[in-house]
Amino acid sequence: MFYREAGDFKTSYEQDSQTFPIKFDRFRYYAVLAIAFLVVPFVINDYWANAILLPFLIYAIAAIGLNILVGYAGQVSLGTGGFMAVGAYACYKFMTMMPEVSMFVHVLLAGGMTAIVCVVFGLPSLRIKGFYLAVATLAAQFFLVWLFNRVPWFYNYSASGQISAPERDVFGILITGPNAPAWATYMFSLIFLTLCALVARNLTRGTIGRSWMAIRDMDIAAEIIGVNPLKAKLTAFAVSGFFIGISGALFFSVYLGAVEVGEAFGITKSFLVLFMVIIGGLGSIFGSFAGAAFLVLLPVVLKVVGVDVLGWPTDIVAHFQLVIVGALIIVFLIVEPHGLAQLWRVAKEKLRLWPFPH
């Protein structure tokens, strides 16, 4: 009975248009933030950080970026892996060229470089859309992987062709390298995820977000009513690229530490982030979190249940994971196109009315 709006009066326009209009939602949001910042760092260990928490935080940033482009602006993209590679290699070059600069600045600069690259590859969206735009971004994926493989300057002429993150600290605490503590890498990634989610939420609720959605729903009608398609599409690519670049920089420097572009940022990475957006829910910031959490936890749960409990071979469990993800994508696209976010929204609406039927 505590999930109610009775007595929760709005006395200003700001209160009426706030992100969480129900008081319980606001308290739950603050409670989650308090647990994430004040409790988890004291109980985290290396397994929880490397197997669950760090992948979730980093993939959530990438999913938010892709959701802005696909879910809010309606521009299809299959080049997420390549754009994450831009962020990773840009971060690596900044770390080696400017070792005295803060790691926060390196990650932000990597996001800015990725935004510029995304805008360049987003220029075809002014002329083409749908399947043709998907092919154009897919070409960007293969081109960027080829570029980072073939130009030795990007990996500082290393004989192995890999890039390795040097040790860097923030306020005297290591956050990159093999000796970085789990809680420090977790907090560093959590700060970026929180900031990205807040920025994305406010952008999608403002004038820019409304122009993205107008272009998504019907670009011709949007242009007639005064929406500039050039500005709307390119800003969507820029903001999406900025978030994806940040996720790529964190994926390389904080999570993996050393990457080879073909293995870490191949086409499978692009599809993985796209599946997170589809399962979580297109056009929803919460859906990006839900999709990332689901696809990060699914392999862990299947391993525990299939391998440890049931004793199945590891390869069978890995193939079973692909079957589950494929089946869920088909089900969500047919039954509930808005994904897990819509299911959560419906559940909240029922809680607001419970125990009454309508």
Side-chain angles (χ1 to χ4, degrees):
M1 299 294 292
F2 53 83
Y3 196 72
R4 290 288 182 270
E5 291 183 83
D8 191 6
F9 301 111
K10 313 295 188 300
T11 58
S12 65
Y13 178 79
E14 288 77 11
Q15 292 179 350
D16 192 48
S17 61
Q18 58 190 335
T19 303
F20 300 105
I22 302 177
K23 187 179 297 183
F24 179 76
D25 283 339
R26 294 196 296 273
F27 290 158
R28 184 187 61 210
Y29 170 73
Y30 297 140
V32 169
L33 282 181
I35 292 173
F37 277 96
L38 302 177
V39 177
V40 175
F42 295 99
V43 299
I44 193 175
N45 55 35
D46 288 336
Y47 172 77
W48 280 92
N50 294 323
I52 297 175
L53 293 176
L54 281 181
F56 163 69
L57 297 175
I58 294 170
Y59 281 130
I61 298 175
I64 290 173
L66 185 61
N67 214 339
I68 286 176
L69 186 61
V70 178
Y72 284 97
Q75 308 301 304
V76 183
S77 174
L78 296 177
T80 309
F83 297 139
M84 288 180 69
V86 174
Y89 277 79
C91 182
Y92 171 69
K93 295 300 291 187
F94 287 131
M95 290 174 71
T96 54
M97 294 168 60
M98 300 182 295
E100 71 282 354
V101 179
S102 171
M103 190 63 194
F104 282 103
V105 178
H106 290 153
V107 175
L108 293 175
L109 289 176
M113 289 297 297
T114 312
I116 296 173
V117 174
C118 275
V119 169
V120 172
F121 285 103
L123 290 174
S125 67
L126 304 176
R127 291 287 184 178
I128 58 178
K129 57 184 178 180
F131 173 77
Y132 300 99
L133 181 59
V135 173
T137 55
L138 186 63
Q141 163 72 39
F142 291 116
F143 171 75
L144 290 171
V145 171
W146 173 87
L147 181 68
F148 294 130
N149 260 329
R150 296 296 181 180
V151 180
W153 180 82
F154 288 110
Y155 49 85
N156 283 355
Y157 303 94
S158 170
S160 63
Q162 290 186 341
I163 56 174
S164 300
E167 289 190 347
R168 293 290 182 269
D169 63 87
V170 174
F171 303 117
I173 302 172
L174 283 177
I175 55 172
T176 63
N179 298 319
W183 69 268
T185 58
Y186 164 79
M187 285 295 294
F188 188 72
S189 302
L190 179 63
I191 290 172
F192 275 103
L193 175 60
T194 305
L195 294 177
C196 288
L198 288 174
V199 171
R201 180 60 180 167
N202 284 281
L203 282 177
T204 53
R205 296 173 70 237
T207 304
I208 297 178
R210 291 187 178 94
S211 66
W212 291 342
M213 289 182 276
I215 291 293
R216 175 197 64 191
D217 294 337
M218 187 174 291
D219 53 353
I220 297 177
E223 189 173 3
I224 290 174
I225 63 174
V227 176
N228 186 347
L230 171 66
K231 179 182 176 181
K233 292 182 179 181
L234 293 188
T235 53
F237 271 96
V239 174
S240 172
F242 181 73
F243 290 158
I244 292 174
I246 288 177
S247 69
L250 294 175
F251 191 74
F252 152 68
S253 61
V254 176
Y255 179 47
L256 293 181
V259 298
E260 195 280 322
V261 63
E263 296 179 1
F265 302 109
I267 186 63
T268 55
K269 190 70 66 182
S270 298
F271 283 114
L272 177 63
V273 180
L274 181 62
F275 294 161
M276 290 177 182
V277 173
I278 294 175
I279 293 176
L282 292 167
S284 168
I285 302 299
F286 172 78
S288 303
F289 284 89
F294 181 84
L295 286 184
V296 168
L297 288 173
L298 180 63
V300 179
V301 173
L302 285 180
K303 180 183 180 299
V304 172
V305 175
V307 178
D308 299 339
V309 177
L310 300 178
W312 291 352
T314 307
D315 56 343
I316 297 295
V317 175
H319 287 90
F320 195 54
Q321 174 189 344
L322 298 177
V323 173
I324 292 177
V325 173
L328 284 175
I329 290 173
I330 295 173
V331 169
F332 277 115
L333 288 177
I334 296 175
V335 179
E336 187 50 80
H338 295 289
L340 295 172
Q342 179 64 16
L343 298 180
W344 174 250
R345 199 175 297 118
V346 170
K348 288 202 304 181
E349 289 298 325
K350 291 186 178 298
L351 278 175
R352 291 169 70 183
L353 297 174
W354 184 83
F356 304 107
H358 56 272

